[in-house]
Amino acid sequence: QNIISEELDRLNEFRMTKEFKKATEQYQELMVKQQQMQKKFVAEKVKGRREILKKKLIDLHYKVKKAEDNFNKALRGEPVDIEEI
């Protein structure tokens, strides 16, 4: 019974790590996208195009915020190995 419990704990740690990795990759991908769009916005001189980029940046900001929340949620769920501290 104890061995089964330990194995289930180990599998849960692996699952959480997988969720954390996914959240990290998604957050990083959106941050890079946001940075690239910000560079385009700053470099754009035509007012009409700037407004379009501004709207896209605002929409992307909400996606980044959600990804950040998911990342923080996954981070809180990560197992902590006290021996490493």
Side-chain angles (χ1 to χ4, degrees):
Q1 184 68 2
N2 192 20
I3 294 172
I4 294 172
S5 177
E6 288 176 8
E7 189 64 23
L8 287 175
D9 287 343
R10 190 181 68 77
L11 287 174
N12 279 337
E13 287 180 13
F14 176 73
R15 181 184 57 82
M16 286 184 247
T17 301
K18 189 175 180 182
E19 289 174 11
F20 179 70
K21 182 177 179 185
K22 181 180 176 185
T24 303
E25 289 171 352
Q26 183 182 18
Y27 183 48
Q28 183 179 17
E29 179 181 315
L30 285 172
M31 287 296 293
V32 168
K33 196 179 213 181
Q34 185 180 36
Q35 288 173 353
Q36 291 171 343
M37 196 172 293
Q38 286 171 340
K39 285 181 183 178
K40 286 181 186 178
F41 177 79
V42 170
E44 187 59 60
K45 302 297 181 204
V46 179
K47 190 173 183 177
R49 290 184 194 156
R50 276 182 72 96
E51 287 300 315
I52 292 171
L53 286 173
K54 182 179 176 180
K55 289 178 185 177
K56 288 182 180 182
L57 268 172
I58 291 169
D59 290 341
L60 187 58
H61 171 74
Y62 292 116
K63 290 178 184 178
V64 170
K65 271 303 215 190
K66 185 174 181 179
E68 183 179 12
D69 290 342
N70 289 340
F71 170 78
N72 288 329
K73 181 180 173 185
L75 183 61
R76 284 190 297 273
E78 275 297 287
V80 177
D81 190 1
I82 296 189
E83 293 174 2
E84 290 181 8
I85 295 177

